[in-house]
Each structure stands twice: as structure tokens, then as C-alpha cells.
Amino acid sequence: MQELANIFIKSIFIENMVFAYFLGMCSYLAISKTVKTSVGMGMAVIFVLSITVPINYLLVNFVLEKGALVWLLGDEFIDIDLSFLSFIMFIAVIASMVQLVEMIVEKFSPTLYSSLGVFLPLIAVNCAILGGSLFMQERAYNNITEAVVFGFGSGIGWFLAIVGIAAIREKIRYSNVPPALRGLGITFIITGLMGIAFMSFMGIKL
Amino acid sequence: MSKNALFSKKNRSLLTDPLDDNNPVTVQVLGICSALAITVQLKSAVVMALSVIFVMCVANVVVSLLRKFIPSRIRIIVQLVVIASLVIIVDEVLKAYVYDVSKELTVFVGLIITNCIIMGRLEAFALANSPWESFLDGLGNAFGYGWILIAVAFFRELLGAGTLYGYPVLENLGIYDLGYENNGMMILPPMALVTVGVIIWIQRMRNKKLIESN
């Protein structure tokens, strides 16, 4: 339990997708103009990350890794290592899951669909999602619960970052920013300052 | 376009526009993720820039050749497959020849797949233009991306670690004897954002028409 809590806190604050690894920056910059849309996008990212990371975890451990095919095809496949295929498998899983999630949400919860709707297709090319799966593979989590917690925590970290910057950008519209720095430039610098603030969480361990 | 005019004025501007006026990173805001994450050292930035140049040019040409055959409903998947296959090639080559750099880049080689610069150019340009023009567009945009990457890495490595390409420049110049200290802050992730912010600031001071409203 303690290990899970540790992964959760770490993925939200210390290894925050935006501030520590700059993942999902494109949508982060493009959609953070108002708090309302950024909440929608953040929710969609949490949703998709907590689904795709565990699925890709199963894929890595039961299909792609060296010797992972033994359970299915018997001992002579112990030397087969398909991990070079992981990029293309991950992106296929993500693209199809996004499509599937979109269809399911549209059918069963039209209100959620109307708030997430526009953002779901954008997510397939959001690098935070693919990054989540690649980090999961690199860090080799022990079991699927850890992978779920990692995916969910990273999503929350991304959500916090985009809502925070959107709130600041709404306020900064009334400030006197130097003309050449307006818009993109000041957003970069503010994100940098937020990143420095998040660095104060470094070293926290439960 | 006449067949002989391989370097007509229009084609030259395809190549040069993305370097400044229409830079993918600072103006189109594409491909930021990797531009920031791997700029601690000049060496990894150069390797990353070369990888993106390769993937971008080949993907642009391939998609442009296929543009009349791809049904528009499934074009995103087709583009992702083209890009992902190229990235797998790059990843295997890096692992084989420059293993230490490949270890340093970790997941960011894989993330070239979702680098929006490549998807963005495929969508916006290669799907509607001939292979040669798409090649130039890819080359121009990849260079525009590459020089920002290398500029950021230059300042971060020089100010943060006092080296360039692993070579201890400041130590050999004897600057430490004058009481200079490395600024360890530059190595930390947030300073990459600030460095890009400053590059954008300088570019827009020079180029007034890029200034945004608040």
C-alpha cells in the first residue's frame, strides 16, 4: 500500500509530466487559454492515461518482452523478443482506445461527451499519453495495480498543470506584459517558474 | 511549376521560411516537448535534431507519394504508422551505433512519433503537395526545429556545466580562476522553458509582425 501511495505522489508532483518531462506541451500551450476548456482537456487526459497505461502494461508483459510469449505458445518461444515493436503497438493501442472511449462515452454519457468530446481525438497525438506508456515500460512496474496508479497519478499531475496555467493566463490578460513577450513568450516563462515551484517537492518520499 | 525549376523562388522560401518567420517551435508552437527535454547537452540535441530531420523528410516524401491513395477518414492512422516505422529504424540505429546517447534520450526517441511538428507538417503540407516540395518543406521545418534545439542546448550546457559537446571550454579559458561558478540552475528542467521564452522574446523584438495580442 505504501509503495502504491509513493508511486501516486511521485507521479503527480515530483515526476510531473509537464514540469519535469515537458510531455503534452503542445496541447498544454494551445488549450490553456481559459480554465473551462483546460478542465475538459485535463479530465480527458486523466481518463485516457488510466486506461491505456494498464493495457500497454499487459501488452508488454504478455506479448512483447523477451520470453513473454511462453504462456501462449510454449517453451520454444523463450528467446523471442518483440520489444522493438513497442512504439508501433503502443500508438495503435492508444489510437484505437481513444476511438473506443469516444464511442462508449458518446453512447452512455452524452453530458460527459459534450464536455470531453472535442478533446478526445486530440489526445491520440498528445505525447503525455504515449510518454506515460513508454515510462511505464522503462521503469518496469511490478504489477498491474502499480501501472494503474502510475497512469492515474500522471493524469492528475497533467490536469493540475494545465488548470494552473489557464488560471494564470486568464489573469495575465489584464497585466502590462512587454509587447514582444505577449502570448507565447510569457506563457513559457510562467511555466518555467511553476516548474521551479514544483521542484520543491523533490525528494519527498512516503 | 515547370519541371526545371527545382529551386524556384517558391521552393526556396519553403526551405527558408521555417528558419525564422514561420519557425515550427517559436511561431507555429509545434514539437515543444522534445525541444525542451533533451537540451541539457549539446550532443543529445544534435543527435535528436538529426533524427528528426531524417524522420521528417522521409515521412513527408512517403505521405506525399501516397496522398492520392489514402482515404481521408483513416489518414491519421496511416500517418502514424509511417512515422512509427521510421522512428523504429532511427531507434535501432541509435542503439547500435551511439548507445550512450540513446540511453540518455530514453523515451524521447519514441516520442518523435507524437512530435506534433511531424504530424502537423504531414497534415498541413504533404497531403496536398508534390514529393519534392514536401521534401523541401520537411527539410526546412526540421532545420528550423533543429537550430532552436541546438541554440537552447548551447546556452544550457555552456552556462550550466561549463562545457560544450563535453569539452571543458570555460576551464580551458581559465574563467574559473577569476571566481566564476557554474549556474547549476540551467541544468534543471524549468530553465529550458525560460530559455525558449527568451529566444521567443528576442525573435519578436526583431520581427514586429509576430507580436501577439494579450
Side-chain angles (χ1 to χ4, degrees):
Chain A
M1 207 46 222
Q2 201 187 359
E3 184 57 24
L4 290 183
N6 211 354
I7 291 175
F8 189 62
I9 298 294
K10 214 171 158 188
S11 57
I12 296 181
F13 294 111
I14 303 162
E15 289 169 347
N16 186 291
M17 284 280 184
V18 175
F19 299 127
Y21 297 108
F22 312 106
L23 295 179
M25 283 303 278
C26 306
S27 22
Y28 171 88
L29 291 170
I31 303 175
S32 61
K33 290 215 169 80
T34 60
V35 172
K36 202 164 169 258
T37 53
S38 63
V39 170
M41 185 69 186
M43 300 284 275
V45 168
I46 296 181
F47 206 56
V48 175
L49 260 180
S50 14
I51 294 175
T52 54
V53 171
I55 292 184
N56 283 336
Y57 178 84
L58 294 177
L59 198 64
V60 168
N61 282 283
F62 291 106
V63 182
L64 294 175
E65 256 183 4
K66 189 169 182 201
L69 281 170
V70 172
W71 67 277
L72 184 66
L73 301 167
D75 281 339
E76 63 264 41
F77 286 86
I78 197 140
D79 285 332
I80 303 279
D81 182 0
L82 293 176
S83 49
F84 67 93
L85 282 177
S86 48
F87 293 161
I88 210 159
M89 294 295 276
F90 286 174
I91 200 75
V93 165
I94 289 168
S96 44
M97 278 321 290
V98 168
Q99 198 85 55
L100 203 63
V101 166
E102 197 183 346
M103 275 147 53
I104 292 172
V105 171
E106 189 181 10
K107 177 101 169 75
F108 291 106
S109 170
T111 37
L112 183 63
Y113 181 73
S114 59
S115 58
L116 295 186
V118 218
F119 302 113
L120 277 174
L122 282 177
I123 283 190
V125 285
N126 184 331
C127 34
I129 311 291
L130 182 60
S133 293
L134 291 173
F135 277 126
M136 173 275 298
Q137 187 189 27
E138 190 187 280
R139 291 176 195 161
Y141 287 112
N142 294 323
N143 52 48
I144 188 156
T145 332
E146 288 186 13
V148 175
V149 169
F150 168 73
F152 185 62
S154 308
I156 292 191
W158 202 86
F159 177 86
L160 278 182
I162 193 168
V163 174
I165 192 77
I168 296 177
R169 280 180 85 171
E170 278 191 359
K171 293 286 174 226
I172 215 159
R173 227 166 283 153
Y174 308 109
S175 319
N176 189 14
V177 181
L181 210 51
R182 271 178 203 157
L184 193 58
I186 195 74
T187 312
F188 266 102
I189 291 178
I190 292 170
T191 311
L193 295 177
M194 285 169 78
I196 293 174
F198 262 68
M199 286 188 64
S200 59
F201 291 112
M202 208 177 260
I204 292 180
K205 205 166 188 329
L206 290 180
Chain B
M1 189 192 83
S2 77
K3 281 221 165 99
N4 300 326
L6 279 181
F7 284 102
S8 63
K9 192 151 177 269
K10 180 166 159 277
N11 282 354
R12 271 207 309 277
S13 75
L14 282 180
L15 199 57
T16 55
D17 266 3
L19 295 183
D20 186 15
D21 285 0
N22 200 13
N23 189 284
V25 178
T26 64
V27 181
Q28 303 174 50
V29 205
L30 296 174
I32 308 285
C33 325
S34 52
L36 298 169
I38 39 89
T39 50
V40 177
Q41 286 174 340
L42 206 51
K43 195 169 174 194
S44 44
V46 170
V47 171
M48 187 70 180
L50 290 177
S51 316
V52 170
I53 289 172
F54 168 76
V55 174
M56 184 106 180
C57 293
V58 181
N60 255 1
V61 171
V62 170
V63 169
S64 169
L65 284 171
L66 290 174
R67 71 186 186 281
K68 297 204 174 104
F69 308 103
I70 303 176
S72 73
R73 282 187 65 86
I74 58 157
R75 64 179 196 285
I76 305 260
I77 289 280
V78 175
Q79 290 164 5
L80 281 175
V81 170
V82 170
I83 300 171
S85 326
L86 290 168
V87 170
I88 290 176
I89 297 176
V90 168
D91 188 43
E92 298 290 314
V93 169
L94 289 184
K95 271 185 197 153
Y97 291 100
V98 277
Y99 189 71
D100 49 328
V101 180
S102 147
K103 266 272 160 279
E104 234 157 66
L105 292 175
T106 60
V107 299
F108 290 98
V109 181
L111 287 172
I112 298 178
I113 298 174
T114 46
N115 192 328
C116 18
I117 234 178
I118 299 179
M119 280 296 269
R121 291 325 294 172
L122 290 181
E123 277 283 297
F125 199 89
L127 276 178
N129 288 283
S130 69
W132 172 246
E133 285 168 334
S134 305
F135 174 75
L136 290 179
D137 182 74
L139 198 63
N141 276 288
F143 268 116
Y145 168 86
W147 86 255
I148 298 278
L149 212 63
I150 289 168
V152 174
F154 176 84
F155 285 114
R156 284 183 79 192
E157 192 180 342
L158 185 66
L159 299 176
T163 57
L164 280 180
Y165 220 89
Y167 180 79
V169 184
L170 295 186
E171 198 185 328
N172 289 4
L173 290 175
I175 294 190
Y176 292 119
D177 302 336
L178 305 174
Y180 175 83
E181 293 271 350
N182 282 335
N183 183 357
M185 195 77 175
M186 291 303 284
I187 305 222
L188 301 175
M191 288 313 282
L193 288 158
V194 177
T195 315
V196 176
V198 172
I199 290 180
I200 292 172
W201 191 1
I202 295 168
Q203 188 194 21
R204 293 189 184 184
M205 276 197 305
R206 273 183 41 235
N207 202 337
K208 295 271 190 266
K209 66 174 187 285
L210 293 177
I211 291 176
E212 294 171 58
S213 62
N214 220 344

